[in-house]
Amino acid sequence: MKIPTRLYLSEDEISISWYNIRSYMKDKPEPMLHPGTLQPITVADLSLIFCDESIKQELDDTSPLITIPKDLQTFYRAYRPAPLIRAYFLEKELGTPAEIYYKFEGTNTSGSHKLNSAAAQAFYAKAQGLNSLTTETGAGQWGSAMAMACAYYKLSLTVYMVRSSSEQKPYRKTLIETYGANLVPSPSSTTEAGRKILIEAPNTSGSLGCAISEAVEAAVRTESCRYVLGSVMNHVLLHQSIIGMEVKAAFDKYNVKPDIIIGCAGGGSNLGGLIAPFMGDKIRRKNDIRFVAVEPASCPSFTRGRFAYDFGDTAKTTPLIKMYTLGSDFIPSPNHAGGLRYHGMNPTLSKLYHDGYLEARAEIQSDVFDAAVRFAKVEGILPAPESSHAIKVAIDEALECKRTGDKKVILFGLTGTGYFDMSAYAAHNAKTMSDYVPTDADLAKGFASLPNIPQNR
Amino acid sequence: MKIPTRLYLSEDEISISWYNIRSYMKDKPEPMLHPGTLQPITVADLSLIFCDESIKQELDDTSPLITIPKDLQTFYRAYRPAPLIRAYFLEKELGTPAEIYYKFEGTNTSGSHKLNSAAAQAFYAKAQGLNSLTTETGAGQWGSAMAMACAYYKLSLTVYMVRSSSEQKPYRKTLIETYGANLVPSPSSTTEAGRKILIEAPNTSGSLGCAISEAVEAAVRTESCRYVLGSVMNHVLLHQSIIGMEVKAAFDKYNVKPDIIIGCAGGGSNLGGLIAPFMGDKIRRKNDIRFVAVEPASCPSFTRGRFAYDFGDTAKTTPLIKMYTLGSDFIPSPNHAGGLRYHGMNPTLSKLYHDGYLEARAEIQSDVFDAAVRFAKVEGILPAPESSHAIKVAIDEALECKRTGDKKVILFGLTGTGYFDMSAYAAHNAKTMSDYVPTDADLAKGFASLPNIPQNR
């Protein structure tokens, strides 16, 4: 069968379930710990912070499939299935015998895959009878997605946006506000956490860690309000598994068998969602696919981090998570474009990497943008900087096939578009892009912030 | 049959022909005239400016269907079929018994329908053995689309971008440059026309008319170079008919019969493409669809213009075109957001409007943005300001159905996304948007610039 440029699925072929990788793992990820008692976290510990259903999903490592609520299935159909595209033009440009496919999550207005989990979390909040949510945003994709989801479900939303980001990306701010969300540059005087930081450092440009602290504080102090998060957590990966389920359905329909699946990795939500059903099969020895996580060389959690219990935020208030981490004090270069700046990594992906199911590579920023422009010129889509990490490795693998003559089937996740990252493209065009890579001394500073607790339980 | 949210077409169902409305018109649009001789324009008159195939198509008012070249069909499949979406969420929000559909042309990186003609014109230039093209851009959508098309066909491109626009929209500039085009803020010192204006008005912010003059001059002086234009011309409408052909195929497949088709209109390329096959049927009395052109109240060519021979540019160098026009000296308010600023209108659409086949409405800017935000919050897509003119009228028609109980079927063209128009959304959010409407005296100034020639030949 000749594969079309776009591998169609009808709405009836979209999965009505999410896929829970953990259910298939013999060695499960270790549980989150309460930072005070060092005991596994309970529903009660989390219920003032997160929505009930998110907590239930976060702690569920046995259910293989979790049904997507009907109303949410309807919402998904407004922008899904996301295009799965055979990169014929890129293959020709590279002269490779490999087949290249990409799953493109950037056709919705939030510009990325983040909407898959934003919609789910907004739906559950509404179903629980809440009327408002808080969150934080750095690069702005998650804030945009939550603003869209809350507009649809008629929930009030406050987004704590890292101050430097809200100033550098005024258009992201406008987008979030256009969808009716209340945007607060962080640190702000609206929370204890914010006021404390403003007294200590009045001119601070803010950080994701501080924005998280403000958003959590604001959620906890209001009865009908909860906090939502866009990556790292297992329930977020679960929602993102809709990506992989669609790819699997389309590949089965067109009889395509991938050899390599590549995804960019910051907190891991896109990668975890993309690979979910394929990884479940690999764990059960039903395939022999290579899975590759691609991270920025400036924030190399997998490739240079430690597998240890660590805090999720710089303020050290979250539960402890066993993950690959650079230490919660690690700060990536401010010249690093886009997201993928997080110091840690989702615990399920961390465990899979630790156990050898997943590979990882770190890429330099200029190389990533070179790949982005090469891709954009032939495939027509201007990719997000984050997504371009996956493009870089997909091109490398395709060129390796050209050298060896192998006809491998390569899939990568194209998580979003770069419309709100044009200043980074301008820097790349002007050849003023930074290629900072942390020294061992830089990393040592981050590792020094790891909590001093027994790491092997 | 239950209509899905997205009315699918497979690649094999995409039209392999463009649809030439003029072939079905008993009363054809009047020919373009040479401004010196006042005789109908010939192939020879245009061949130094435009590509040969574009000229052929421009002058062809008899072929009903024109085959899309194979290679271009392949390019189209990288981003087409464009989604045709049933606006279930908007219908519910409005509480209307009407069915609302929209054809969404914003999923490609140029962000609009402009790529349909940009790709065609680049293909023909390449096939003719040319190696470079010139064009102008105002709002930036056309320049982005041509940059993408020329990157794909490996043609050199120079874009003369209205200086004020290149300064207000630095990200559009970056996008165009990222695709490898040479961007020149206009007026520039690279052409006679530019130098003349810079001497007369060194601090001018530029105009589309001046940018056209520079682009044409630059094309004419180089043997292997031609000029390309993104709207107004009949060959551009022809290329855009791929939009209507896809809608027609999908509507036929799902047995949907539209009662009203609505499109925004600046130079008319989107509207003309959207309605093409439906209008051809209406002319032959095969349907009784209402066609509605929506223009900004600040630049009301149809609703307040004159049907007269006029120049296409402010420098008065182009052939004379019989069209609805405000006069080539008419300048819309600088506070007008987005495109749709052109003083004239495609001659075929002008003739159809004159003969009663097409209605027109003019809308105020704030009303248009209110409709845009209302749409964005439920349908999830942040529309371009241009497209939002059509949304405004679609909502009005749906609310009229709510009043009368009519179950009409409404289709509108969603030409693109608003990612590069966030400053306009910010102004709307801050309620500082201008709602300028020209006075009769403003219009009289424009009409005074109409050429003094016999108007009825």
Side-chain angles (χ1 to χ4, degrees):
Chain A
M1 176 167 42
K2 159 88 169 138
I3 304 287
T5 311
R6 297 203 276 182
L7 286 68
Y8 288 95
L9 285 185
S10 72
E11 287 179 14
D12 297 338
E13 293 170 306
I14 302 182
S15 177
I16 59 164
S17 303
W18 291 306
Y19 190 100
N20 188 2
I21 302 181
R22 286 172 292 163
S23 70
Y24 296 103
M25 293 168 70
K26 269 160 271 169
D27 295 328
K28 310 276 184 196
E30 292 186 62
M32 286 192 290
L33 302 182
H34 189 289
T37 65
L38 299 187
Q39 292 304 304
I41 209 86
T42 65
V43 172
D45 291 332
L46 298 174
S47 64
L48 282 180
I49 301 175
F50 293 108
C51 298
D52 295 348
E53 194 64 28
S54 297
I55 299 168
K56 195 176 141 197
Q57 293 172 351
E58 187 64 34
L59 301 180
D60 181 349
D61 59 9
T62 55
S63 308
L65 293 173
I66 292 174
T67 303
I68 302 170
K70 278 264 183 228
D71 189 83
L72 190 55
Q73 290 181 27
T74 304
F75 183 91
Y76 276 171
R77 284 171 194 197
Y79 69 101
R80 307 201 68 85
L84 174 62
I85 301 172
R86 172 79 182 268
Y88 280 117
F89 299 144
L90 181 62
E91 290 171 17
K92 192 175 158 200
E93 166 76 12
L94 300 175
T96 178
E99 290 179 23
I100 309 175
Y101 298 84
Y102 55 96
K103 180 71 168 173
F104 179 37
E105 291 287 327
T107 56
N108 74 78
T109 279
S110 79
S112 82
H113 68 293
K114 295 284 185 186
L115 189 58
N116 300 328
S117 184
Q121 295 191 55
F123 168 80
Y124 286 126
K126 191 75 182 178
Q128 191 179 330
L130 303 173
N131 54 35
S132 64
L133 292 171
T134 69
T135 196
E136 77 290 327
T137 200
Q141 290 170 336
W142 173 247
S144 305
M146 273 312 303
M148 284 178 66
C150 286
Y152 181 75
Y153 284 110
K154 301 193 192 304
L155 289 161
S156 169
L157 174 71
T158 301
V159 180
Y160 291 86
M161 186 170 191
V162 178
R163 181 177 298 279
S164 59
S165 184
S166 76
E167 285 163 3
Q168 284 161 21
K169 298 192 173 191
Y171 292 165
R172 270 286 177 205
K173 181 170 175 289
T174 300
L175 181 66
I176 291 167
E177 289 176 337
T178 298
Y179 274 92
N182 175 29
L183 193 140
V184 182
S186 168
S188 76
S189 57
T190 67
T191 64
E192 284 285 341
R195 284 190 293 270
K196 183 156 170 263
I197 289 169
L198 284 174
I199 288 168
E200 288 167 7
N203 298 318
T204 178
S205 59
S207 72
L208 206 53
C210 170
I212 292 176
S213 302
E214 289 202 82
V216 171
E217 180 187 328
V220 169
R221 74 178 172 216
T222 307
E223 174 60 35
S224 61
C225 182
R226 293 293 184 281
Y227 165 74
V228 290
L229 188 66
S231 193
V232 186
M233 306 288 280
N234 289 319
H235 66 275
V236 180
L237 253 74
L238 179 73
H239 305 153
Q240 295 297 354
S241 70
I242 187 72
I243 303 172
M245 292 298 266
E246 280 181 13
V247 174
K248 183 84 161 57
F251 274 0
D252 286 350
K253 182 174 171 179
Y254 290 94
N255 198 29
V256 176
K257 299 194 186 309
D259 296 301
I260 310 171
I261 302 182
I262 301 161
C264 62
S269 75
N270 153 70
L271 177 71
L274 176 69
I275 68 177
F278 300 99
M279 180 60 88
D281 283 352
K282 175 156 176 161
I283 290 168
R284 290 175 293 163
R285 300 177 184 279
K286 292 187 177 183
N287 70 42
D288 196 28
I289 297 171
R290 283 177 53 209
F291 298 96
V292 186
V294 192
E295 57 188 15
S298 58
C299 190
S301 327
F302 269 141
T303 52
R304 298 174 71 193
R306 294 203 185 143
F307 189 45
Y309 268 108
D310 194 9
F311 290 100
D313 66 336
T314 49
K316 301 184 170 55
T317 59
T318 68
L320 293 163
I321 306 170
K322 183 73 177 271
M323 60 181 174
Y324 277 83
T325 176
L326 298 164
S328 60
D329 278 0
F330 178 82
I331 307 272
S333 158
N335 294 320
H336 171 74
L340 311 184
R341 295 167 194 255
Y342 189 64
H343 68 276
M345 185 59 66
N346 167 269
T348 303
L349 293 176
S350 291
K351 177 71 177 160
L352 289 166
Y353 178 67
H354 189 71
D355 293 349
Y357 288 99
L358 179 64
E359 306 168 30
R361 293 201 205 162
E363 296 290 343
I364 299 283
Q365 187 154 254
S366 288
D367 295 345
V368 166
F369 273 82
D370 281 342
V373 173
R374 190 169 192 181
F375 174 83
K377 285 188 176 176
V378 291
E379 289 290 324
I381 299 166
L382 189 85
E386 296 85 355
S387 325
S388 305
H389 288 75
I391 296 174
K392 166 67 170 64
V393 171
I395 289 177
D396 286 350
E397 291 287 344
L399 290 176
E400 177 65 14
C401 287
K402 184 178 182 177
R403 205 181 60 74
T404 61
D406 279 356
K407 291 183 204 290
K408 287 195 178 146
V409 176
I410 300 167
L411 165 72
F412 69 89
L414 188 69
T415 53
T417 50
Y419 299 123
F420 291 93
D421 302 281
M422 295 313 298
S423 56
Y425 275 97
H428 179 68
N429 294 344
K431 300 194 191 309
T432 58
M433 183 144 265
S434 158
D435 279 335
Y436 164 83
V437 175
T439 62
D440 287 343
D442 293 334
L443 293 186
K445 260 164 63 182
F447 294 141
S449 68
L450 285 172
N452 187 16
I453 63 162
Q455 287 289 356
N456 291 308
R457 301 172 62 251
Chain B
M1 174 166 44
K2 159 90 170 135
I3 305 287
T5 310
R6 298 203 276 182
L7 287 69
Y8 288 95
L9 285 185
S10 72
E11 287 178 16
D12 297 338
E13 293 170 306
I14 303 182
S15 178
I16 60 164
S17 303
W18 291 305
Y19 189 99
N20 189 1
I21 303 182
R22 287 171 292 163
S23 70
Y24 296 103
M25 294 167 71
K26 269 160 271 169
D27 296 327
K28 311 277 184 193
E30 292 186 62
M32 285 192 290
L33 301 183
H34 189 288
T37 65
L38 299 187
Q39 292 304 303
I41 209 85
T42 65
V43 172
D45 292 332
L46 298 174
S47 65
L48 283 179
I49 302 175
F50 293 108
C51 299
D52 295 346
E53 194 64 28
S54 297
I55 299 169
K56 196 175 141 197
Q57 293 172 349
E58 187 63 33
L59 301 180
D60 181 349
D61 59 9
T62 55
S63 309
L65 293 172
I66 292 173
T67 303
I68 302 170
K70 278 262 182 231
D71 188 84
L72 190 55
Q73 290 181 27
T74 305
F75 183 92
Y76 277 170
R77 285 170 191 198
Y79 69 102
R80 306 202 68 85
L84 175 61
I85 301 172
R86 171 80 182 266
Y88 280 116
F89 300 144
L90 182 62
E91 290 171 19
K92 191 174 159 201
E93 165 76 11
L94 299 175
T96 179
E99 291 180 22
I100 308 175
Y101 297 84
Y102 55 96
K103 181 71 169 173
F104 180 36
E105 292 287 327
T107 56
N108 73 78
T109 280
S110 79
S112 81
H113 68 293
K114 295 285 186 186
L115 190 57
N116 299 328
S117 184
Q121 295 190 55
F123 168 79
Y124 287 127
K126 192 75 181 179
Q128 191 179 331
L130 303 174
N131 54 36
S132 64
L133 293 172
T134 69
T135 196
E136 77 289 329
T137 201
Q141 290 170 335
W142 174 247
S144 305
M146 274 311 306
M148 285 178 65
C150 287
Y152 181 75
Y153 285 111
K154 302 194 192 304
L155 288 161
S156 168
L157 174 70
T158 302
V159 180
Y160 291 86
M161 187 169 190
V162 177
R163 181 176 299 278
S164 59
S165 184
S166 77
E167 285 163 3
Q168 284 162 20
K169 299 192 171 189
Y171 292 165
R172 271 284 177 205
K173 181 171 175 289
T174 300
L175 179 65
I176 292 167
E177 289 176 338
T178 299
Y179 275 93
N182 175 29
L183 192 140
V184 182
S186 169
S188 76
S189 57
T190 67
T191 64
E192 284 285 340
R195 285 190 292 270
K196 184 157 169 265
I197 289 169
L198 285 174
I199 288 168
E200 288 167 7
N203 299 318
T204 178
S205 59
S207 72
L208 205 54
C210 170
I212 293 175
S213 303
E214 289 202 82
V216 171
E217 180 187 328
V220 169
R221 74 178 171 218
T222 308
E223 175 61 36
S224 61
C225 181
R226 293 292 184 284
Y227 164 74
V228 290
L229 189 65
S231 192
V232 186
M233 306 288 280
N234 289 318
H235 66 275
V236 180
L237 253 74
L238 179 74
H239 305 152
Q240 295 297 354
S241 70
I242 188 72
I243 303 172
M245 292 298 266
E246 280 180 14
V247 174
K248 183 85 162 58
F251 274 0
D252 286 349
K253 181 173 170 181
Y254 290 95
N255 198 28
V256 176
K257 298 194 186 308
D259 296 302
I260 309 171
I261 302 183
I262 301 161
C264 61
S269 75
N270 153 69
L271 177 70
L274 176 69
I275 68 176
F278 299 99
M279 180 60 87
D281 283 352
K282 174 154 174 163
I283 291 168
R284 289 175 293 162
R285 300 177 183 278
K286 292 188 177 182
N287 70 41
D288 196 28
I289 297 172
R290 283 176 53 208
F291 299 96
V292 186
V294 192
E295 56 189 17
S298 59
C299 191
S301 326
F302 270 140
T303 52
R304 297 174 72 192
R306 295 205 185 143
F307 189 45
Y309 269 109
D310 194 8
F311 290 99
D313 67 334
T314 49
K316 300 185 171 53
T317 59
T318 68
L320 293 164
I321 306 169
K322 182 75 178 270
M323 61 182 175
Y324 277 83
T325 177
L326 298 165
S328 61
D329 278 1
F330 178 82
I331 308 271
S333 158
N335 294 320
H336 171 75
L340 311 185
R341 294 168 196 256
Y342 189 64
H343 68 276
M345 184 60 66
N346 167 268
T348 303
L349 294 176
S350 291
K351 177 70 176 160
L352 289 166
Y353 178 66
H354 189 70
D355 292 349
Y357 289 98
L358 179 64
E359 304 166 32
R361 293 200 204 162
E363 298 289 342
I364 299 284
Q365 187 154 256
S366 289
D367 295 345
V368 165
F369 275 82
D370 281 341
V373 173
R374 190 169 193 182
F375 174 84
K377 284 188 176 176
V378 291
E379 289 290 322
I381 298 167
L382 189 84
E386 296 85 357
S387 325
S388 305
H389 288 75
I391 296 174
K392 166 65 170 66
V393 171
I395 289 177
D396 286 349
E397 290 287 345
L399 291 176
E400 177 64 12
C401 287
K402 183 177 183 178
R403 205 182 59 76
T404 60
D406 279 357
K407 291 184 204 288
K408 288 198 177 143
V409 176
I410 300 167
L411 165 72
F412 69 89
L414 188 69
T415 54
T417 50
Y419 299 124
F420 292 93
D421 302 281
M422 295 314 298
S423 56
Y425 275 96
H428 179 67
N429 294 344
K431 301 195 193 307
T432 59
M433 184 144 266
S434 158
D435 278 336
Y436 164 82
V437 175
T439 63
D440 287 342
D442 292 335
L443 293 186
K445 261 163 63 182
F447 293 142
S449 69
L450 285 171
N452 187 16
I453 63 159
Q455 288 288 355
N456 291 308
R457 301 173 62 252

